[in-house]
Amino acid sequence: LNTMDWLAPLLALGHGIGRIGCFLVGDDYGKPSDLPWAIAFPNGIPPTDVPVHPTQLYEMTCYFLIFAYLRYFVTNQRNRFKGQIFCEFLFLHGLSRFVIEFVRVNPKYLLGLSGAQIISAIMIITGTIMMYRLRTSDKQIP
């Protein structure tokens, strides 16, 4: 659990950096949009001349914020328990991806949800259950 807590902020940071790469390549963008920050990716994968939601930047922002939150706020909490940072990572990462996925063009599979949303829901549920179980056990970090 200590190792998972140590790695969780770095996972968020790495995923945020990875989304910069997706943006530069023009991959994993969202639905068409007329918002002022919508972007066309004429050389993207696949290409689009229609302005779309830059979901890569939405995710990058979320993951950098998750990194900052986990690194600076949760890490310095007193009475933190082993696994807390990892549980919060699972919950926050799952929640951000679940929400952003509504403006993405991925196919829907189950109950109108995309594969990423189903995985995100599993992450949210797992993080919540683990948080409850670990919090109620007496594994406090000194």
Side-chain angles (χ1 to χ4, degrees):
L1 291 175
N2 285 331
T3 303
M4 291 166 47
D5 281 345
W6 183 79
L7 288 174
L10 301 175
L11 289 171
L13 178 63
H15 203 165
I17 292 169
R19 287 302 174 185
I20 295 171
C22 291
F23 177 75
L24 294 175
V25 170
D27 186 22
D28 297 329
Y29 50 78
K31 295 177 180 177
S33 172
D34 58 356
L35 293 170
W37 56 83
I39 299 172
F41 293 97
N43 297 319
I45 305 171
T48 179
D49 292 324
V50 176
V52 294
H53 283 279
T55 55
Q56 318 94 320
L57 299 182
Y58 300 167
E59 284 188 77
M60 176 204 70
T61 303
C62 287
Y63 299 147
F64 285 167
L65 290 172
I66 291 169
F67 166 75
Y69 170 74
L70 295 177
R71 178 68 182 94
Y72 297 106
F73 297 111
V74 178
T75 304
N76 295 320
Q77 276 183 0
R78 292 181 184 248
N79 300 320
R80 180 173 60 82
F81 56 88
K82 291 179 185 177
Q84 178 180 351
I85 296 173
F86 184 70
C87 292
E88 292 200 28
F89 165 77
L90 284 177
F91 182 86
L92 293 171
H93 186 283
L95 180 65
S96 61
R97 181 64 188 260
F98 188 88
V99 171
I100 291 169
E101 203 57 28
F102 283 111
V103 293
R104 300 263 314 261
V105 291
N106 290 336
K108 308 300 181 198
Y109 295 106
L110 180 65
L111 303 172
L113 300 175
S114 69
Q117 285 176 310
I118 294 167
I119 292 168
S120 294
I122 293 168
M123 290 175 70
I124 292 166
I125 292 166
T126 302
T128 302
I129 291 170
M130 283 179 62
M131 176 82 79
Y132 174 76
R133 287 188 175 170
L134 291 172
R135 179 181 286 159
T136 56
S137 68
D138 291 320
K139 297 181 180 177
Q140 301 294 318
I141 296 176

